[in-house]
Amino acid sequence: RLQLDDLLGPAALSHQPQSPQRELYQGLTQTPKTIPAQYFYDERGSQLFEQICDLPEYYLTRTETSIFRTCADELAQITGPCEIIELGSGSSTKTRLLLDAYQRLNQKHQIADLKYSPIDVSPSILKLSAKQLLQDYSDLQIQGRVSTYDLALAQLAATPTTTKRLIGFIGSSLGNFTPAGCDRLLAQVSAALQPGDFFLLGIDLRKDPAILEAAYDDAQGVTAAFNLNMLQHLNNRFEANFDLTQFEHVALYNQTTHQIEMHLRSRQPQTIRLKAINLTIELAADETILSEISRKFDPAELQIQLQNQQLHVQRIWTDPQNWFGVMLAQK
Ligand code: AVI
């Protein structure tokens, strides 16, 4: 009941126009310096992210989960039985609420199989969560893809099926894309869907900056450790010599662009060498490296962007405080 495709194997990687190292090199040689957010997620980074999701200040996961608890059955009713494809599935925790609802729906329609297609860059988390899901759901058929969003969406676009698709992109991961990157991703999602298919999107909404900044700079320092771990990841992976004690975690809400910006601030002038990519960089005292943006959305604006990609919003669910939104669009 489990099939796993690795789209990131050596053969597939040689077709990628932009290698990840190249992006890192570009990011660290431009002004202001940036590190692509993908470098958060080594094993330790993924563990720290799971801890972030449980923090009292990080309301996102809790709130989205509460919305799914109330809307999952209605969502399944609207879409009818379909294959659930999830971008960035991770531990698939919230997805279980969707799988439960689709399982109930399938039973009503006397449909035997429930198809779930998780997509994640981490083979270990994909395998682990697939194994756990298969133990808990006897009707589940899993077709996992170890892949970036780009590659997986291109593959889906190239292999249309008659089975109705629901592509899920939850957890406000869309917020980590620039506006241009966001448009590009929505176009790729649309290309992977046939008319009548669905797109499910979880997004963090605009709110009091104090609440937002606390969510990205928690009292226990877990987000700070997550941000700094990115430098340790670069040390391990690219033979770099970042001294983590010489950097500080900074998270600020930019009210003009409606985004949290996470930075690593250099405590002093320093020279860093990344031996494996043959790069030496100079940092001034207080110079910052941008490690992540996390955009906060206005559902009405996003609805227009979705519409521009032939994705027509059918329903928006939110929580009583209006902190988080779940949007269902149909192509
Ligand atoms: C994965 N992503 C949606 C998280 C966010 O909230 O933007 C990543 C994160 N960064 C710091 N805390 C959580």
Side-chain angles (χ1 to χ4, degrees):
R1 294 191 287 130
L2 173 64
Q3 193 193 323
L4 269 189
D5 294 337
D6 189 352
L7 276 62
L8 297 180
L13 272 180
S14 63
H15 296 299
Q16 279 204 46
Q18 174 89 303
S19 84
Q21 282 97 314
R22 175 114 206 97
E23 267 180 74
L24 176 64
Y25 191 101
Q26 273 173 5
L28 286 175
T29 49
Q30 72 191 29
T31 315
K33 295 182 175 64
T34 63
I35 299 175
Q38 72 192 74
Y39 290 107
F40 281 129
Y41 302 99
D42 63 350
E43 202 175 335
R44 169 109 182 104
S46 300
Q47 281 165 3
L48 286 166
F49 180 65
E50 293 293 319
Q51 284 181 38
I52 287 175
C53 293
D54 290 332
L55 288 171
E57 296 94 337
Y58 196 76
Y59 58 85
L60 287 83
T61 314
R62 244 189 343 270
T63 311
E64 188 177 38
T65 304
S66 76
I67 298 173
F68 278 140
R69 276 211 184 89
T70 57
C71 82
D73 281 308
E74 189 188 350
L75 164 72
Q77 288 289 346
I78 298 173
T79 67
C82 53
E83 174 190 1
I84 302 167
I85 300 167
E86 186 177 5
L87 296 172
S89 48
S91 59
S92 300
T93 313
K94 282 169 284 184
T95 317
R96 285 174 176 255
L97 295 168
L98 292 184
L99 295 176
D100 291 341
Y102 279 94
Q103 203 173 39
R104 285 191 285 272
L105 184 82
N106 280 3
Q107 274 159 9
K108 227 164 76 186
H109 289 258
Q110 296 184 329
I111 295 172
D113 292 340
L114 181 56
K115 286 192 180 144
Y116 176 51
S117 306
I119 296 160
D120 206 284
V121 282
S122 161
S124 50
I125 197 147
L126 200 62
K127 273 184 212 149
L128 184 71
S129 59
K131 246 173 68 186
Q132 288 168 343
L133 287 172
L134 288 175
Q135 274 169 12
D136 300 342
Y137 294 84
S138 56
D139 304 340
L140 206 59
Q141 302 279 348
I142 301 185
Q143 195 205 342
R145 289 181 181 84
V146 180
S147 176
T148 60
Y149 303 144
D150 274 354
L151 289 172
L153 289 168
Q155 193 191 53
L156 287 164
T159 52
T161 79
T162 49
T163 312
K164 208 191 297 170
R165 283 175 173 163
L166 169 85
I167 296 185
F169 193 34
I170 62 176
S172 202
S173 298
L174 188 69
N176 301 131
F177 285 76
T178 60
C182 173
D183 273 343
R184 188 169 166 265
L185 182 103
L186 295 179
Q188 289 172 310
V189 166
S190 186
L193 298 175
Q194 298 289 309
D197 286 347
F198 290 93
F199 180 45
L200 182 71
L201 185 60
I203 43 156
D204 197 14
L205 305 180
R206 295 176 191 166
K207 59 184 66 64
D208 180 351
I211 296 168
L212 288 166
E213 287 182 356
Y216 291 84
D217 195 5
D218 62 280
Q220 292 170 57
V222 182
T223 312
F226 173 73
N227 200 7
L228 288 161
N229 178 66
M230 183 182 241
L231 300 179
Q232 186 57 49
H233 183 191
L234 297 186
N235 284 349
N236 301 341
R237 191 142 158 204
F238 299 109
E239 295 173 74
N241 63 350
F242 287 101
D243 176 352
L244 274 59
T245 64
Q246 295 310 315
F247 288 88
E248 193 188 352
H249 164 70
V250 180
L252 294 170
Y253 185 59
N254 183 330
Q255 298 204 46
T256 312
T257 50
H258 307 287
Q259 63 191 22
I260 283 282
E261 292 165 359
M262 282 206 334
H263 304 268
L264 291 154
R265 180 156 56 208
S266 174
R267 292 185 194 273
Q268 57 167 22
Q270 42 185 327
T271 304
I272 313 290
R273 175 94 185 128
L274 292 92
K275 199 170 156 208
I277 57 168
N278 193 22
L279 173 66
T280 303
I281 55 167
E282 303 288 341
L283 285 155
D286 293 328
E287 182 175 347
T288 57
I289 304 176
L290 179 69
S291 53
E292 182 179 58
I293 60 162
S294 189
R295 294 170 60 218
K296 307 302 161 190
F297 294 94
D298 170 354
E301 275 176 25
L302 194 54
Q303 182 161 354
I304 295 167
Q305 271 176 279
L306 287 160
Q307 183 86 30
N308 291 340
Q309 303 296 343
Q310 288 76 52
L311 298 167
H312 312 287
V313 173
Q314 306 289 305
R315 190 84 167 80
I316 304 176
W317 293 274
T318 182
D319 54 290
Q321 300 186 97
N322 217 12
W323 278 9
F324 201 93
V326 172
M327 298 174 98
L328 178 69
Q330 187 171 30
K331 183 160 174 183

